[in-house]
Amino acid sequence: PNPVQSGQPLHIGYYGSTEGAKLTAELYDDLGRRISQRSYEVGRGSYTLAYPTDGLAAGTYTLRVQQGSTLVSKRVLVLKP
């Protein structure tokens, strides 16, 4: 969901078309600084991946998800718990 409360995971929907693909997710603050990065090994099929928001201050962030040459960015609003 967007917005999300700090401490609740962001859920990333993904459909994989290749086996053993590497998916990288990065979270950036409003100033463009990378706050955190996670990597996932995924296979074929549909997935919902959880990205932790523990310790994030309330504010607007950008979540970038990349798999191979495909890159998707999404703005995320994190609220106080």
Side-chain angles (χ1 to χ4, degrees):
N2 191 9
V4 65
Q5 287 191 347
S6 181
Q8 298 296 315
L10 290 169
H11 296 284
I12 304 166
Y14 172 77
Y15 177 78
S17 59
T18 59
E19 193 65 39
K22 182 177 179 181
L23 181 88
T24 302
E26 300 173 321
L27 195 64
Y28 291 85
D29 67 10
D30 269 347
L31 298 176
R33 296 177 295 201
R34 187 171 65 192
I35 302 300
S36 62
Q37 176 181 352
R38 297 198 44 129
S39 295
Y40 303 89
E41 291 290 328
V42 293
R44 293 178 191 211
S46 296
Y47 296 90
T48 300
L49 306 171
Y51 194 97
T53 61
D54 298 336
L56 289 180
T60 305
Y61 296 85
T62 301
L63 178 66
R64 292 177 39 154
V65 180
Q66 184 169 3
Q67 192 271 317
S69 62
T70 303
L71 175 67
V72 177
S73 295
K74 187 167 195 162
R75 300 290 284 176
V76 176
L77 179 62
V78 175
L79 305 174
K80 288 184 179 182

